[in-house]
Amino acid sequence: MSREPDWNLYRTFHAVLREGSLSGAARRLDMSQPSIARHIDALEAALATRLFLRTPRGLSPTDAALELRPMAESLAAVSSTLLRTAEGGRGGEVRGTVRISASEAVAVHHLPPLLSRLRQAHPGLTLELSPSNALDDLLQRKADIAVRMVRPEQQALVAQRIGSIAVGLHARRDYLDSRGIPRALDDLRAHDLIGYDVETPAIRAAVERYPALNRDAFALRVDSDVAQLAAIRAGFGIGICQVILAAREPDLVRVLPETFRLDLETWIVMHEDLRDNVRCRVVFDALVEGMSRIAA
């Protein structure tokens, strides 16, 4: 290469990777399809490699494109962070965009009321919520602030522990009426259990404490917290959910409360570079205050 390719070419490349077609990338970037094609041709020429193969189903990325994908995603994340940082506020007004990452259960059941109050207090604030059980890497700026259910291990993070959220076994009342109430963990073998599909380090630690809840014991395997709670509500069987959420459901009964209990350490975390960013600090403090009440 005689010179480094224009950054706009990488932006177009990332959009084509995400959308799988020139037309999809054009809509995403608000550009014409011929312009998208020219960008891809220019990037392929600059890198001296083929990035996409045209197929009846659209564009198929080559091995070279797949190798470049992580770098393109990193550039896109940095670009998004730059835009959010540049939005800033004037005259002390809190305005701009803050992206929050949280587990599905927290994002769906706990955060909406908190974010609603936050938006009412600061109308210039735009909030992005990423519901995911994956730990978004704040160091790569995939999110500005995260609500995590494990102690953060990374350096360069501002983290505040706000307490623990209890998790227990629950089932619908009519399920227990028909199948009986287990009196010990061994009794769970006679029941339809709802649990995880993919084992994570946190799940592995829980199984070491409660071997009866191994993957082979589950009649329904699903990695979504929200789907597991929905299955419990539907009367499928006995599953694990937050005690505070089950307490809101009159038809749900806690099972083996003296025998099974997990406490999820809950942390509000952001990158230390955002410590003095006014809008991020406002959102961070609001999440600490609101989630502390929930954990209490």
Side-chain angles (χ1 to χ4, degrees):
M1 285 190 307
S2 59
R3 64 186 182 88
E4 183 177 342
D6 189 300
W7 279 33
N8 281 327
L9 303 185
Y10 290 113
R11 177 170 170 261
T12 302
F13 166 67
H14 179 256
V16 174
L17 272 176
R18 288 194 62 173
E19 302 298 328
S21 68
L22 298 178
S23 59
R27 287 191 297 272
R28 183 176 186 84
L29 299 180
D30 195 22
M31 296 170 58
S32 68
Q33 187 168 327
S35 296
I36 297 290
R38 284 195 297 271
H39 278 199
I40 295 302
D41 289 342
L43 186 58
E44 288 181 336
L47 299 178
T49 188
R50 192 74 174 272
L51 296 174
F52 295 98
L53 300 176
R54 287 167 174 77
T55 71
R57 295 185 177 181
L59 295 182
S60 176
T62 64
D63 289 343
L66 295 177
E67 288 181 6
L68 291 173
R69 182 195 288 271
M71 283 73 82
E73 291 176 344
S74 179
L75 283 172
V78 170
S79 175
S80 178
T81 300
L82 286 171
L83 288 175
R84 293 199 297 271
T85 302
E87 283 175 334
R90 293 186 178 90
E93 182 184 3
V94 178
R95 61 184 301 107
T97 303
V98 177
R99 185 171 181 82
I100 304 164
S101 169
S103 70
E104 286 185 340
V106 171
V108 171
H109 298 288
H110 297 316
L111 291 190
L114 304 184
L115 300 185
S116 176
R117 291 195 292 270
L118 193 56
R119 169 72 180 183
Q120 290 171 14
H122 304 286
L125 198 59
T126 299
L127 300 161
E128 297 177 351
L129 180 58
S130 174
S132 171
N133 291 330
L135 295 180
D136 277 348
D137 193 342
L138 297 179
L139 299 182
Q140 295 181 12
R141 301 301 179 85
K142 293 181 180 179
D144 299 313
I145 301 173
V147 183
R148 289 185 172 172
M149 314 310 284
V150 294
R151 178 190 294 271
E153 300 293 340
Q154 299 154 312
Q155 301 299 315
L157 296 178
V158 177
Q160 184 162 338
R161 185 182 184 276
I162 57 95
S164 297
I165 295 179
V167 170
L169 293 169
H170 297 83
R172 206 167 75 178
R173 193 178 306 276
D174 57 357
Y175 170 86
L176 295 174
D177 289 342
S178 64
R179 299 288 295 272
I181 299 175
R183 303 299 178 185
L185 284 174
D186 284 345
D187 296 343
L188 294 176
R189 298 180 184 183
H191 286 269
D192 293 332
L193 302 184
I194 304 161
Y196 61 89
D197 183 24
V198 178
E199 188 177 89
T200 65
I203 289 175
R204 195 175 301 117
V207 173
E208 288 178 359
R209 288 182 59 189
Y210 302 104
L213 297 176
N214 64 81
R215 185 179 182 277
D216 293 337
F218 300 131
L220 174 63
R221 300 171 186 148
V222 55
D223 291 323
S224 165
D225 300 336
V226 173
Q228 288 184 12
L229 180 54
I232 297 170
R233 285 172 173 157
F236 184 96
I238 299 174
I240 299 172
C241 72
Q242 293 181 18
V243 173
I244 189 174
L245 295 181
R248 301 173 184 173
E249 307 273 347
D251 290 335
L252 296 190
V253 177
R254 190 169 179 186
V255 176
L256 299 174
E258 303 299 325
T259 306
F260 179 91
R261 176 189 172 106
L262 294 174
D263 292 299
L264 301 179
E265 269 196 1
T266 307
W267 297 76
I268 313 298
V269 191
M270 70 178 174
H271 195 284
E272 65 178 8
D273 288 350
L274 300 176
R275 185 194 303 267
D276 297 322
N277 183 294
V278 174
R279 65 179 177 277
C280 287
R281 191 77 231 187
V282 165
V283 175
F284 184 93
D285 291 343
L287 291 179
V288 168
E289 193 272 335
M291 289 300 296
S292 293
R293 291 201 309 270
I294 292 169

